[in-house]
Amino acid sequence: MAKHGKKYTAALAKVDIDKIYSAKEAVALAKETSITKFDSTIEVHMRTTLDSRQSDQQLRDVVVLPHGLGKKVRVLVFAQADGAAAARAGGADFVADDDESLKKIEGGMLDFDVAIATPDAMGKVGRLGRVLGPRGLMPNPKAGTVVSAQDMERAIKEAKAGRVEYRLDKSNNIHVSIGKVSFDADKLYDNYVALMDAINKSRPSGAKGNFVKRITVASTMGPGVKVDPNEHIDGAG
């Protein structure tokens, strides 16, 4: 196992590894124990009791974080005709509406953070599954990234404002960013509350009891801080 540097060791000394912190304490401590020179991301990692192989235990949805993610979100839209026009008018950073742009993406041009598509463009987007899929960039109706031309402006605006997708991975874990270390601790907490509220509301039908078993909050490369998964935070903020 890699030996941790002095900065990490000093940061870890501030965290009681046996303690389960309240969400408010945890996000403040994750912010305080950031060790990078750049503006790190604050991440929430959840271990669940769900089984991703069961159809009634799937979890995938989106949440608009009240204070965004603290970064410029670059949006690419796959569309044709009216959809492409709506995407340009709505502020998309890139519009892929011809074979040339699709070839560029197939070749590895992935300078975007969110991909949105109109339903009539999904036939062509499907060919890019092996490029977009592994990076979590494949448009999906469940994630609200397959929209009509009429809804395009709203979808782009939400994506840029801090609309975050969360989903259960194959290990039955969920990993979500809730902002930057430079955020005020109260804003990080508000984003955490919004995320947990959304996850509870999108509870799968096959979930039993409190399906979130363990929660850890950490900055990029910083130590993990355990959060009480049973804390009642509805309406907090």
Side-chain angles (χ1 to χ4, degrees), residues 27 66-68 178-179 183-193:
V27 294
H67 304 292
I178 57 165
F183 279 27
D184 182 83
D186 286 339
K187 289 186 176 179
L188 287 169
Y189 177 65
D190 286 347
N191 280 357
Y192 176 90
V193 170

Side-chain angles (χ1 to χ4, degrees), residues 75-89:
V75 176
L76 178 138
V77 175
F78 295 100
Q80 301 165 21
D82 291 350
R88 291 189 173 95

Side-chain angles (χ1 to χ4, degrees), residues 134-206:
R135 294 166 179 83
L137 292 169
M138 192 71 179
N140 184 288
K142 178 70 176 162
T145 46
V146 178
V147 299
S148 66
Q150 289 80 6
D151 279 340
M152 187 59 71
E153 186 179 351
R154 176 193 56 77
I156 293 169
K157 198 173 284 183
E158 283 187 359
K160 288 179 175 283
R163 186 170 174 280
V164 179
E165 180 184 358
Y166 55 88
R167 62 189 296 182
L168 193 69
D169 68 14
K170 286 177 182 174
S171 306
N172 305 314
N173 298 322
I174 301 167
H175 309 281
V176 193
S177 300
I178 57 165
K180 295 287 188 180
V181 165
S182 58
F183 279 27
D184 182 83
D186 286 339
K187 289 186 176 179
L188 287 169
Y189 177 65
D190 286 347
N191 280 357
Y192 176 90
V193 170
L195 170 65
M196 295 311 298
D197 188 43
I199 284 175
N200 286 324
K201 281 177 179 167
S202 56
R203 173 192 182 91
S205 60

Side-chain angles (χ1 to χ4, degrees), residues 78 110 112-116 125 131-139 145:
F78 295 100
L110 295 165
F112 54 93
D113 307 293
V114 177
I116 297 171
V125 176
V131 178
L132 300 176
R135 294 166 179 83
L137 292 169
M138 192 71 179
T145 46

Side-chain angles (χ1 to χ4, degrees), residues 22-53:
S22 71
K24 196 158 237 178
E25 289 175 314
V27 294
L29 194 51
K31 174 181 161 73
E32 186 190 334
T33 53
S34 171
I35 59 171
T36 60
K37 289 181 180 176
F38 58 88
D39 191 10
S40 292
T41 298
I42 300 290
E43 300 156 354
V44 179
H45 306 282
M46 297 176 217
R47 181 81 183 151
T48 78
T49 60
L50 301 173
D51 183 348
S52 61
R53 295 168 299 178

